[in-house]
């Protein structure tokens, strides 16, 4: 018996099929009657919309659904989507911050909570998780990313997909996930947003594609294409990667949506005018056209006349274009069927959508914020005594707006408890606060940051006056907590910056405070990894707090005063100098290996003496000393199908409970091509009471040592060589103990 999708496909006209490929923003919603009817209202009435994103309420979604069904001869409903990047109404820490928790269980919980809030407002799909590997902090979207490592990012992709979709996407409180942005958006040239990526196929297969493979494996229902080109082919026209790798090699059977006007932008990529762009995108496997309406405008003619554009190297018959239109429409309808909308067009739009308890969300957000904070330095200053007289200084001391971070579209800054209030609530003593310095010096930059709504407050006094005010407060205190970093829209989309480092005035403020002779605790609020420069030396304690979401300041206060112990570990490398980006811990060896400091005729920079100021991937401190015993292997020579066990004892020498992320890296001393000097192959988190000792074991098999050799994408093969490999276990990517293991052929 034919299914619903087959029956609809058999009955639909070409125009109705094309209408399903149109993905529109809710924008101002439905404005009709006395006011000029909105385009959206007209499109709905004409059955020319497949889905809408950005509705702001259940009522507006329901009204649009009614219009869509009335406008569709066969009563085909919309699906609704929203950008829920790190929470919906309850905003969790930025994804790059959450990734520093290395706690995939926590990440899954935050995704599940976000799904419950979004689905309660009629969302069926969320444009999340963003799983672009990011190794260039100039690129603002590192803020939304899971960091620099493919294994950690892959585990996060799975956790987010499971959290959003659950075991059954149809269950109440669940939504469809949309993996984005496919692919290598983070490898953009010079860190410039929307620019192109040229990279070895081996890097694409070994670094940027694994999180998408993992997300698909976890059952993600959708994928969104990225704006960039990969190796000269814009992703919205990249048939080898979308239809070839994603669907063909990787078996993805869901829906692929364009990014915002991504189809239209193929013309700007100079692939040809709109008809060419449309056919290239449809052929590549882009099923829905977000915002640009090029499918809607061009397909009726193309499906009748075909295309013959020799200047674009493109010729396709009308029949072939009709087949591609059918293919895309079938995928849209199949998603709607999977979402239960063909059985119940108002599924998820009823008033029954009980939103989860906000208090529970806030508690989870506070826990997530504390776990996302990374303690980089502590000269026995932290945790602070609740009796200490604290001076809280700097532009984030009383801030709410910036704490939500970028892509917090449905959050409300008024829900944020600022750091001064959080400290007062926790300790019973209100800290004395002072502005100290502005977030940015340049008024033109301030205006640009405010383009997404006011996030940057400015104190009009001179820097000297601001610093003097801060010093006056600091002199009355036992300890100074100085807050520095970036505004929320300093990082995010269309927020690439030339120099990812702390602004000079922030350095001057820290130095001035240090002159008081009081302990100085530096807390960095940022959306990207910053080169901290001399601030790291001057600080007596240093916390990287990111933009921690609605409970970000409370999470920081919990860490400052020991209500929570720091367990965050960097998911990115903090550069020693902004000029050394892009970078990661997994750099390839060269013929003249870099030794971490400049040496003539070796890899390195003349003007960078050393990387002492670099904080490595996986690094983070706690409030206890955690000691590692000598690791051991179950065998040192293994057959290819053996399972080898690496064991290491980890002891919490106290004085407090500690959560340790034991990290296992590997190296391949001899391979057929250059490979990363070391790469993460596993990690485990253990929580140890003071004095507790635990054996941590890792199961290792030969497959973890496979690597791609790819003269082309199509000719790629994953190989594994027999012989010696090295294993490195420890608290981060730098401070490890090594073991040799030999794999037999
Ligand atoms: C934006 C982003 C994408 C987002 C989409 C819809 O340009 O690139 O991540 O999901 O548009 O808002």
């Amino acid at each position: 018996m034919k299914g619903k999708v087959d029956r609809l496909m058999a009955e639909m006209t070409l125009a109705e099929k094309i209408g399903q490929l149109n993905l529109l923003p809710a924008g101002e919603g439905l404005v009709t009657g006395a006011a000029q009817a909105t385009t959206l209202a007209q499109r709905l009435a004409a059955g020319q919309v497949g889905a809408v994103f950005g509705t702001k309420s259940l009522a507006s979604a329901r009204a649009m659904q009614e219009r869509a069904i009335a406008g569709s001869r066969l009563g085909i409903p919309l699906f609704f989507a929203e950008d829920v990047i790190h929470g919906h109404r309850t905003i969790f820490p930025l994804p790059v911050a959450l990734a520093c928790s290395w706690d995939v269980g926590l990440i899954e919980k935050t995704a599940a909570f976000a799904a419950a809030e979004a689905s309660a407002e009629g969302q069926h799909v969320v444009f999340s998780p963003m799983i672009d590997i990011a190794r260039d902090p100039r690129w603002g979207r590192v803020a939304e990313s899971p960091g620099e490592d493919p294994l950690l990012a892959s585990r996060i992709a799975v956790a987010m997909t499971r959290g959003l979709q659950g075991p059954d996407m149809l269950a109440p409180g669940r939504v469809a996930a949309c993996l984005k942005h496919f692919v290598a958006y983070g490898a953009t040239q010079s860190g410039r947003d929307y620019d192109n990526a040229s990279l070895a196929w081996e890097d694409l297969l070994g670094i940027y594609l694994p999180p998408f493979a993992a997300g698909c494996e976890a059952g993600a229902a959708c994928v969104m294409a990225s704006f960039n080109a990969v190796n000269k082919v814009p992703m919205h026209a990249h048939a080898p990667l979308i239809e070839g790798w994603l669907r063909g090699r990787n078996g993805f059977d869901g829906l692929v949506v364009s990014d915002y006007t991504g189809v239209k932008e193929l013309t700007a990529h100079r692939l040809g005018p709109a008809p060419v762009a449309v056919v290239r995108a449809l052929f590549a496997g882009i099923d829905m056209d977000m915002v640009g309406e090029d499918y809607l405008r061009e397909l009726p003619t193309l499906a009748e006349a075909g295309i013959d554009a020799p200047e674009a190297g493109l010729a396709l018959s009308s029949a072939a274009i009709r087949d591609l239109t059918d293919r895309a429409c079938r995928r849209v309808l199949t998603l709607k069927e999977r979402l239960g909308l063909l059985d119940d067009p108002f599924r998820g739009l009823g008033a029954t959508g009980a939103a989860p308890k906000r208090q529970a969300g806030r508690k989870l957000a506070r826990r997530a914020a504390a776990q996302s904070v990374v303690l980089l330095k502590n000269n026995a200053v932290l945790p602070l005594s609740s009796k200490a007289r604290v001076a809280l200084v700097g532009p984030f001391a009383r801030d709410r707006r910036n704490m939500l971070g970028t892509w917090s579209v449905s959050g409300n800054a008024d829900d944020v408890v600022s750091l001064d209030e959080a400290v007062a609530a926790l300790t019973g003593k209100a800290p004395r606060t002072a502005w100290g310095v502005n977030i940015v010096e340049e008024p033109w930059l301030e205006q640009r940051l405010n383009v997404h709504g006011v996030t940057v407050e400015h104190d009009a006094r001179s820097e000297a006056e601001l610093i003097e005010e801060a010093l006056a407060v600091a002199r009355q205190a036992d300890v100074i907590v100085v807050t520095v970093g970036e505004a929320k829209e300093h990082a995010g989309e269309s927020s690439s910056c030339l120099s990812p480092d702390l602004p000079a005035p922030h350095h001057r403020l820290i130095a001035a405070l240090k002159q008081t002779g009081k302990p100085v605790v530096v807390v960095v609020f940022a959306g990207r990894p910053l080169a901290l420069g001399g601030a790291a030396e001057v600080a007596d304690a240093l916390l990287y707090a990111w933009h921690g979401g609605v409970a970000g300041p409370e999470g920081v206060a919990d860490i400052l005063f020991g209500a929570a112990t720091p367990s965050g570990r960097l998911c990115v490398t903090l550069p020693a100098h902004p000029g050394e980006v892009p970078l990661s811990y997994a750099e390839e060896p060269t013929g003249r290996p870099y030794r971490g400091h400049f040496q003539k005729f070796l890899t390195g920079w003349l003007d960078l003496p050393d990387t002492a100021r670099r904080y490595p991937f996986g690094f983070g401190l706690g409030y206890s000393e955690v000691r590692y015993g000598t690791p051991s292997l179950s065998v040192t020579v293994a057959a290819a199908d053996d399972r080898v066990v690496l064991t290491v004892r980890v002891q919490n020498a106290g004085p407090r409970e500690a959560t340790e992320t034991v990290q296992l890296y590997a190296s391949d001393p001899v391979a057929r091509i250059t490979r990363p000097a070391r790469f993460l192959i596993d990690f485990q988190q253990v929580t140890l009471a003071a004095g507790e000792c635990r054996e941590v074991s890792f199961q290792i098999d030969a497959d973890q040592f496979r690597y791609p050799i790819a003269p082309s994408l199509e000719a790629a093969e994953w190989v594994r060589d027999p012989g010696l490999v090295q294993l490195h276990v420890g608290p981060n990517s730098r401070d490890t103990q090594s073991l040799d293991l030999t794999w037999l052929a």
Side-chain angles (χ1 to χ4, degrees):
M1 203 238 312
K2 272 190 169 188
K4 280 193 170 55
V5 170
D6 290 333
R7 281 202 305 276
L8 282 171
M9 287 298 292
E11 291 183 54
M12 288 167 81
T13 64
L14 173 67
E16 289 166 336
K17 292 172 181 171
I18 292 170
Q20 286 299 305
L21 313 187
N22 205 21
L23 170 55
L24 291 183
E28 68 285 2
L30 294 176
V31 177
T32 57
Q36 173 61 31
T38 56
T39 309
L40 180 59
Q42 291 159 352
R43 295 283 188 266
L44 290 169
Q48 293 178 332
V49 189
V52 171
F53 69 96
T55 50
K56 287 299 167 236
S57 73
L58 203 53
S60 65
R62 215 174 15 247
M64 285 181 200
Q65 193 68 297
E66 285 158 1
R67 284 290 179 87
I69 290 165
S72 159
R73 179 174 63 90
L74 297 167
I76 300 173
L78 303 167
F79 70 78
F80 292 99
E82 179 59 282
D83 286 290
V84 179
I85 312 304
H86 51 113
H88 185 55
R89 297 291 172 195
T90 301
I91 301 295
F92 295 107
L94 282 171
V96 70
L98 264 178
C100 291
S101 74
W102 291 59
D103 183 342
V104 289
L106 167 72
I107 292 169
E108 182 171 339
K109 284 191 177 76
T110 64
F113 195 89
E117 284 194 331
S119 64
E121 291 185 19
Q123 304 301 346
H124 300 114
V125 176
V126 294
F127 295 142
S128 179
M130 191 280 210
I131 50 176
D132 298 308
I133 294 293
R135 297 182 165 184
D136 190 334
R138 291 171 296 182
W139 186 50
R141 302 197 78 165
V142 59
E144 305 164 58
S145 84
E148 69 186 44
D149 179 76
L151 180 87
L152 178 57
S154 298
R155 300 236 177 122
I156 289 171
V158 171
M160 288 290 290
T161 302
R162 284 183 181 152
L164 292 170
Q165 297 190 171
D168 171 12
M169 205 162 58
L170 278 178
R174 298 296 186 178
V175 291
C178 180
L179 307 174
K180 71 183 186 181
H181 306 78
F182 189 74
V183 68
Y185 186 13
T188 182
Q189 179 171 315
S190 307
R192 275 195 305 252
D193 207 354
Y194 315 121
D195 208 329
N196 296 325
S198 291
L199 65 166
W201 292 114
E202 285 87 359
D203 288 342
L204 198 73
L205 288 157
I207 300 170
Y208 295 92
L209 286 173
F212 286 91
C216 291
E217 177 71 26
C222 306
V223 168
M224 182 187 293
S226 58
F227 291 116
N228 55 289
V230 168
N231 297 344
K232 315 300 178 201
V233 178
M235 278 311 303
H236 279 72
H238 213 301
L241 274 170
I242 299 175
E243 286 298 321
W245 184 87
L246 180 67
R247 291 187 186 280
R249 299 279 286 261
N250 197 53
F252 176 68
D253 66 353
L255 183 73
V256 175
V257 300
S258 87
D259 201 339
Y260 203 103
T261 66
V263 172
K264 183 185 295 300
E265 292 171 18
L266 293 178
T267 298
H269 278 285
R270 297 195 181 176
L271 292 195
V276 170
V278 162
V279 174
R280 290 290 294 267
L282 204 59
F283 181 81
I286 304 288
D287 303 313
M288 288 192 97
D289 173 13
M290 185 193 289
V291 174
E293 297 208 287
D294 294 89
Y295 279 14
L296 188 69
R297 228 184 341 270
E298 303 297 340
L299 275 176
T301 307
L302 287 162
E304 294 307 324
I307 190 166
D308 182 8
E311 73 285 2
L314 183 65
L316 215 55
S317 69
S318 56
I321 291 170
R322 282 197 295 277
D323 289 347
L324 291 172
T325 304
D326 281 0
R327 181 180 75 174
C329 179
R330 177 176 291 278
R331 288 165 175 169
V332 175
L333 296 177
T334 301
L335 177 65
K336 292 181 178 180
E337 184 176 49
R338 289 182 67 192
L339 290 169
L341 291 167
L342 298 190
D343 292 327
D344 172 9
F346 287 90
R347 191 188 79 77
L349 300 181
T352 55
K357 298 278 175 290
R358 278 295 179 86
Q359 235 9 65
R362 198 173 182 98
K363 187 161 173 264
L364 181 61
R366 181 165 185 161
R367 174 189 155 199
Q371 287 189 237
S372 303
V373 170
V374 184
L375 177 61
L376 297 173
K377 180 180 182 182
N378 185 19
N379 293 343
V381 174
L382 297 178
L384 302 176
S385 157
S386 58
K387 297 185 176 28
R389 292 177 301 156
V390 175
L392 187 53
V393 172
F396 302 98
R398 301 189 285 261
D399 180 87
R400 300 173 203 280
R401 291 185 178 91
N402 294 287
M403 294 300 143
L404 295 182
T406 190
W407 280 110
S408 46
V409 291
S410 306
N412 183 343
D414 295 341
D415 295 339
V416 175
V417 172
S418 55
L419 187 54
D420 57 336
E421 292 166 350
V423 169
L426 188 65
T427 64
K429 276 165 69 93
R432 300 196 57 205
T433 64
W435 196 266
V437 68
N438 282 313
I439 293 180
V440 290
E441 267 188 304
E442 308 80 357
W444 57 268
L445 178 55
E446 205 168 278
Q447 276 127 40
R448 286 191 190 163
L449 288 173
N450 288 339
V451 75
H452 296 272
V454 177
T455 59
V456 180
E457 285 180 76
H458 183 87
D459 189 309
R461 289 175 290 170
S462 71
E463 182 181 313
E465 288 173 296
L466 291 174
I467 288 183
E468 193 39 50
E469 180 204 44
L471 289 171
V473 167
R475 290 187 192 106
Q476 311 297 318
D478 303 321
V479 62
I480 304 160
V481 176
V482 55
T483 63
V484 293
E486 295 184 305
K488 74 192 272 278
E489 296 310 337
H490 244 129
E493 181 171 357
S494 189
S495 300
S496 291
C497 76
L498 287 171
S499 185
D501 56 3
L502 274 184
H506 297 205
H507 283 291
R508 290 193 286 268
L509 171 66
I510 294 167
L513 293 166
K514 184 69 181 176
Q515 293 304 313
T516 64
K518 314 242 178 182
V520 175
V521 179
V522 176
V523 184
V524 182
F525 292 96
R528 62 162 45 87
L530 298 174
L532 299 175
E537 275 97 54
V538 173
D540 296 295
L542 179 59
L543 284 178
Y544 216 91
W546 304 102
H547 292 136
V550 71
E554 290 161 293
V556 169
D558 289 343
I559 294 289
L560 286 173
F561 290 91
T565 55
S567 59
R569 298 291 183 268
L570 289 173
C571 70
V572 286
T573 304
L574 297 190
H577 185 285
E580 62 172 339
V581 301
L583 84 164
S584 83
Y585 81 93
E587 294 174 317
E588 295 173 3
T590 71
R592 299 187 173 199
Y594 183 50
R595 303 222 187 283
H597 58 274
F598 176 72
Q599 266 188 259
K600 200 73 178 161
F601 306 119
L602 293 185
T603 303
W605 295 270
L606 189 62
D607 51 355
L608 181 70
D610 60 43
T611 53
R613 289 176 170 174
R614 189 191 281 184
Y615 287 93
F617 173 81
F619 182 82
L621 303 173
Y623 285 154
S624 282
E625 184 197 354
V626 176
R627 296 177 188 145
Y628 283 67
T630 304
S632 62
L633 286 172
S634 53
V635 294
T636 56
V637 179
D641 55 359
D642 276 355
R643 173 144 294 186
V644 179
V645 178
L646 181 146
T647 303
V648 63
R649 286 170 69 80
V650 181
Q651 184 198 11
N652 174 2
R656 290 165 167 264
E657 178 182 271
T659 296
E660 180 71 3
T661 301
V662 184
Q663 300 161 38
L664 178 60
Y665 298 84
S667 300
D668 195 350
V670 176
R672 304 180 210 180
I673 55 173
T674 53
R675 300 196 61 208
R678 57 176 54 189
F679 43 96
L680 185 69
I681 60 169
D682 203 350
F683 62 88
Q684 287 183 46
Q685 257 185 3
V686 290
T687 297
L688 303 169
E692 185 181 355
C693 198
R694 182 94 55 87
E695 275 205 348
V696 177
S697 296
F698 294 95
Q699 313 273 335
I700 301 164
D701 59 43
D703 274 349
Q704 290 171 286
F705 295 85
R706 288 190 177 287
Y707 61 95
I709 291 189
S712 71
L713 185 62
E714 294 72 15
E717 54 167 342
W718 286 76
V719 301
R720 185 187 67 78
D721 307 315
L724 175 69
V725 295
Q726 278 147 356
L727 299 161
H728 315 281
V729 63
N732 59 66
S733 59
R734 178 192 64 197
D735 310 319
T736 54
Q737 297 179 79
S738 300
L739 293 154
D740 287 354
L741 171 64
T742 300
W743 289 109
L744 300 173

